Amino acid sequence: MKQIKGPAIFLAQFVSDEAPFNNFNSICQWASSLGYQGIQLPSWEQRLFDLQKAAESQDYCDEITGIAAEHGLTISELSTHLQGQLVAVHPAYDQMFDGFAPAKVHGSPQARMEWATEQLMLAASASAKLGLTSHASFSGALLWHTFYPWPQRPNGLVEQGFEELAKRWLPILNRFDEVGVDVCYELHPGEDLHDGVTFERFLAATNNHPRANILYDPSHFVLQQLDYLAFIDIYHERIKAFHVKDAEFIPNGRCGVYGGYQGWQQRPGRFRSLGDGQVDFKKIFSKLTQYGFDGWAVLEWECCIKHPEDGAKEGAEFIKQHLIKPTEKAFDDFAGSSTDTERNNQILGIK
C-alpha cells in the first residue's frame, strides 16, 4: 500500500508584506520551523514566485526547489486557483473577478480569459520543470448563477454550459497531458465544478480526459451537506490532491445552507482550523490510504475565529497525527500456511 505524504501547507493565506511572509526563503524557513515538509505554492504571488520565469528557465526552477530543500521542504503542487477561476466568468461577476487579473485586462473579458489561459499553459511548463505531477486549480463558472432552479433553466442550458467550459479547458488539459501533470480541480461553490455530479458532467464533456482530476477538500462538502466519505469511495481514482481543511455546519431557525448573506462568523456553515470543526479526518485519512492515495496532505487554513499562525502551528501536528503508515502484511499472517494444491483440492472436495 502507498502512503500519504505530509504535512504540507498552502502558502496563499499567509503571504503578506511583513516578514517572514514576504519572500520565498523566509516563508520556507517559517513553514519548516512549524514541522511542515511540503509547500503548495500560489503561482500568482510574485513576492514568492515568478511563474513566467519558471515556465522558461530550468535554472530558476532548480533555484526554487533548492531553496525549499535547504529548509527540508518539497514543493507539493503549484496552484492557479485565481487564474483558473478566470478561464470562465459569467458577465455578472466581471467587476468582482477583474481583481484576480492584471490591470491591463480589466474591463475586457476576452483579454482576461486569454491571459488566464496563458497562465495555465505557463503553469503546465513550470510544473514539469519543478518535477511535479499534480496541479491545483479552479474551473471557473458559466452556470453558477443558475445553481438554484428558479427561474426554470431552459432545456439544454446546462449541457451547453459544460460544452463551453470543456472547450475552454481542453487545450489546457492537453498541454498538461503533454508534460505528464494532472489538473486537480478543487470542487468549490462558485465553480461549475462544485460536487460529484458536476465533475461527472465535465468529464463527459471532455471525453473523460485523463488529466481532469480532483483536489479533494471535505470542508466544501460539509457546507453543501454532501457525504464526503462516500465521495472518496466513488471518486478515489480521480483524487490526485488533498486539502486538509476543517468546517462545521450548524443550522438554526433563521438561516441554513445559503447563509443569509451574512459574514463567515454568522453563517451556519463556516470553515474552521483543524480539529475545531466537524470533519472526521480519521476516516478520511483511512479511506485515502486504503485506496492508495500517495499525494500530499496539504493544510489550507481558513478560519473565521482562530489566528492564522496558531492554525498553521496546530495544523502541522494535526496532520502528522493522522498520517497512516500502511501495513505490509495481513494481521492474520501468523495463522497462514504455504500453498499446497493437493491439500486445497481435498478441502474443496475435488478429486
Side-chain angles (χ1 to χ4, degrees):
M1 294 175 67
K2 298 177 181 178
Q3 185 169 357
I4 300 172
K5 295 185 282 289
I9 185 170
F10 187 24
L11 297 178
Q13 285 82 8
F14 299 94
V15 183
S16 75
D17 290 328
E18 298 180 2
F21 309 109
N22 56 352
N23 69 75
F24 187 66
N25 182 67
S26 62
I27 203 169
C28 283
Q29 185 176 18
W30 168 78
S32 177
S33 72
L34 298 181
Y36 288 100
Q37 298 178 14
I39 49 172
Q40 189 175 84
L41 191 54
S43 66
W44 63 88
E45 263 299 346
Q46 295 192 358
R47 285 169 289 192
L48 305 185
F49 184 71
D50 188 325
L51 180 59
Q52 178 87 38
K53 195 172 181 180
E56 297 171 351
S57 171
Q58 185 63 57
D59 288 342
Y60 175 73
C61 288
D62 292 344
E63 177 186 345
I64 288 293
T65 54
I67 292 171
E70 288 175 5
H71 298 287
L73 297 171
T74 299
I75 298 173
S76 63
E77 299 95 4
L78 290 182
S79 155
T80 55
H81 282 80
L82 301 193
Q83 302 99 311
Q85 179 78 63
L86 301 184
V87 170
V89 177
H90 186 274
Y93 299 96
D94 275 339
Q95 291 190 31
M96 290 186 285
F97 280 140
D98 260 356
F100 286 9
K104 65 181 180 180
V105 300
H106 289 183
S108 176
Q110 181 65 29
R112 186 186 60 210
M113 182 186 70
E114 292 173 357
W115 173 83
T117 300
E118 178 59 24
Q119 287 279 295
L120 267 296
M121 298 297 192
L122 293 174
S125 298
S127 293
K129 286 182 170 62
L130 290 165
L132 306 178
T133 58
S134 296
H135 179 76
S137 198
F138 278 151
S139 68
L142 300 173
L143 286 161
W144 177 251
H145 64 296
T146 73
F147 85 95
Y148 194 81
W150 181 256
Q152 291 176 318
R153 289 185 290 262
N155 290 337
L157 179 71
V158 173
E159 290 76 10
Q160 286 178 233
F162 277 94
E163 286 173 11
E164 177 62 26
L165 190 68
K167 179 181 176 182
R168 298 185 188 193
W169 273 101
L170 274 170
I172 299 169
L173 290 168
N174 289 339
R175 175 59 186 145
F176 273 88
D177 195 32
E178 290 172 5
V179 297
V181 179
D182 292 314
V183 178
C184 303
Y185 296 99
E186 182 172 353
L187 306 183
H188 187 291
E191 313 299 318
D192 279 344
L193 275 60
H194 56 269
D195 59 13
V197 171
T198 52
F199 179 71
E200 289 175 17
R201 289 182 182 273
F202 184 70
L203 271 187
T206 59
N207 295 315
N208 293 308
H209 200 290
R211 297 299 172 182
N213 289 286
I214 295 169
L215 188 166
Y216 176 76
D217 183 335
S219 68
H220 301 301
F221 298 156
V222 170
L223 269 57
Q224 294 182 70
Q225 293 295 281
L226 184 154
D227 188 333
Y228 56 84
L229 295 174
F231 183 95
I232 298 174
D233 291 326
I234 299 167
Y235 300 107
H236 58 89
E237 292 181 353
R238 291 277 181 172
I239 294 174
K240 300 295 178 67
F242 176 26
H243 272 176
V244 189
K245 188 167 73 175
D246 212 342
E248 62 188 1
F249 184 75
I250 307 173
N252 59 64
R254 298 179 63 238
C255 67
V257 170
Y258 304 115
Y261 300 110
Q262 297 180 103
W264 279 109
Q265 286 193 4
Q266 290 75 42
R267 295 174 67 89
R270 56 190 189 175
F271 303 124
R272 299 299 309 277
S273 286
L274 289 183
D276 295 343
Q278 299 170 341
V279 177
D280 190 337
F281 282 105
K282 287 197 175 204
K283 289 183 179 177
I284 287 174
F285 275 81
S286 180
K287 277 187 177 289
L288 289 175
T289 301
Q290 171 190 339
Y291 287 119
F293 176 75
D294 61 354
W296 286 86
V298 181
L299 167 73
E300 184 184 23
W301 176 88
E302 290 182 353
C303 183
C304 57
I305 296 176
K306 184 170 287 183
H307 192 280
E309 292 182 49
D310 290 339
K313 182 179 180 180
E314 295 172 4
E317 187 59 33
F318 185 93
I319 293 174
K320 284 181 187 177
Q321 292 176 357
H322 284 79
L323 292 172
I324 298 170
K325 182 178 180 181
T327 181
E328 297 177 352
K329 61 181 181 179
F331 63 87
D332 56 357
D333 277 353
F334 71 93
S337 57
S338 59
T339 300
D340 185 325
T341 302
E342 184 176 346
R343 180 189 57 203
N344 290 345
N345 283 338
Q346 292 175 354
I347 294 171
L348 293 168
I350 299 173
K351 294 183 179 180

